[in-house]
Amino acid sequence: MKNILLFVFALSIFGCAKPAFDPEWTQEQAPETFSARFETTKGNFDLEITRRNSPKAVDRLYQLIRHGYFDNSVFYRVVPHYIAQFGNSDQAIMGQWRSVKVPDEPVILSNKKGTITFARFGNETRDLELFINLNDNTELDTVVVEGIKGYPALGTVSAGMDVVKKLYSGHGENTMAKADNLYLDRNAFLRSFPNLDLIKKAYLTDN
């Protein structure tokens, strides 16, 4: 009898477990403004995001933060006086999110120091990877990549920019040559590039 009760209890726990991805999440619309906190291995920083800057991309960022996508993710590309880039490393979850595309939008908010922006590499590829501008990178407003003009910024670091500046940058651009390894073997990637900082948890702070 005891074993049966334990089995039922275990089923109840797993049955209520939070899913890693639900397609309905991609239909959620962000409020006109929202705030979020990122707890990192160097400390915390806060974001203030405004939907009109890039509505569909802001919706995606809101969805990702709300559903814990960035928890335990890596700042895998930190280049002094340029950008600090981060993203997840779970290929299965990445593929699920990427199955729902984010439409391209024009640049409204410039890539000034302290703004946060989705990375992109072509048509409808703003989806999961973001960077924080460590300098005024206004050339990113008009650069054309694979026929798509500009990187629309979404909002700003409202507090903790000193934390962002402290993120480990000793590997610079060198990590990009082995970026695929971050998704194929995260632990091996981190051994190859020690001291990289992590996002321990990211969450909305308006609620």
Side-chain angles (χ1 to χ4, degrees):
M1 183 66 177
K2 182 178 180 180
N3 289 339
I4 293 174
L5 290 174
L6 288 173
F7 178 70
V8 171
F9 177 68
L11 282 179
S12 68
I13 292 175
F14 288 113
C16 297
K18 185 177 178 180
F21 175 77
D22 184 332
E24 291 187 2
W25 295 345
T26 64
Q27 304 304 310
E28 296 171 352
Q29 180 174 309
E32 289 309 306
T33 62
F34 70 88
S35 302
R37 172 159 293 175
F38 283 64
E39 298 179 359
T40 82
T41 46
K42 281 293 196 302
N44 301 342
F45 66 87
D46 296 338
L47 299 179
E48 186 70 27
I49 306 297
T50 302
R51 189 170 187 269
R52 68 174 178 269
N53 291 332
S54 188
K56 295 302 183 182
V58 167
D59 287 348
R60 174 57 58 89
L61 177 59
Y62 175 81
Q63 296 155 9
L64 293 171
I65 295 173
R66 187 165 185 249
H67 296 291
Y69 177 82
F70 295 115
D71 296 356
N72 200 36
S73 57
V74 183
F75 281 98
Y76 62 87
R77 182 190 184 199
V78 182
V79 183
H81 311 296
Y82 184 41
I83 63 171
Q85 189 164 332
F86 62 93
N88 203 297
S89 56
D90 187 315
Q91 278 192 306
I93 296 175
M94 291 171 67
Q96 290 172 317
W97 278 102
R98 281 182 169 149
S99 67
V100 181
K101 301 296 184 183
V102 177
D104 293 310
E105 297 167 313
V107 173
I108 294 176
L109 178 64
S110 180
N111 284 273
K112 295 289 186 69
K113 182 177 179 180
T115 54
I116 185 165
T117 305
F118 270 108
R120 66 166 23 153
F121 53 90
N123 182 50
E124 294 188 339
T125 54
R126 297 181 305 161
D127 46 28
L128 304 175
E129 312 290 325
L130 293 109
F131 60 85
I132 297 170
N133 287 292
L134 302 179
N135 207 348
D136 288 346
N137 295 319
T138 55
E139 70 279 3
L140 298 179
D141 299 345
T142 55
V143 66
V144 176
V145 178
E146 298 292 328
I148 305 299
K149 181 180 178 181
Y151 293 76
L154 313 179
T156 60
V157 176
S158 57
M161 192 61 193
D162 57 326
V163 171
V164 177
K165 291 178 182 177
K166 293 176 185 175
L167 296 171
Y168 185 77
S169 61
H171 302 300
E173 294 279 13
N174 294 333
T175 57
M176 298 308 290
K178 295 184 177 180
D180 286 349
N181 288 349
L182 177 60
Y183 314 114
L184 298 173
D185 190 338
R186 172 190 168 107
N187 291 333
F189 180 86
L190 294 177
R191 286 194 299 270
S192 297
F193 301 103
N195 302 316
L196 291 175
D197 285 296
L198 306 178
I199 295 169
K200 296 188 288 187
K201 189 172 182 62
Y203 50 91
L204 303 172
T205 55
D206 296 323
N207 300 333

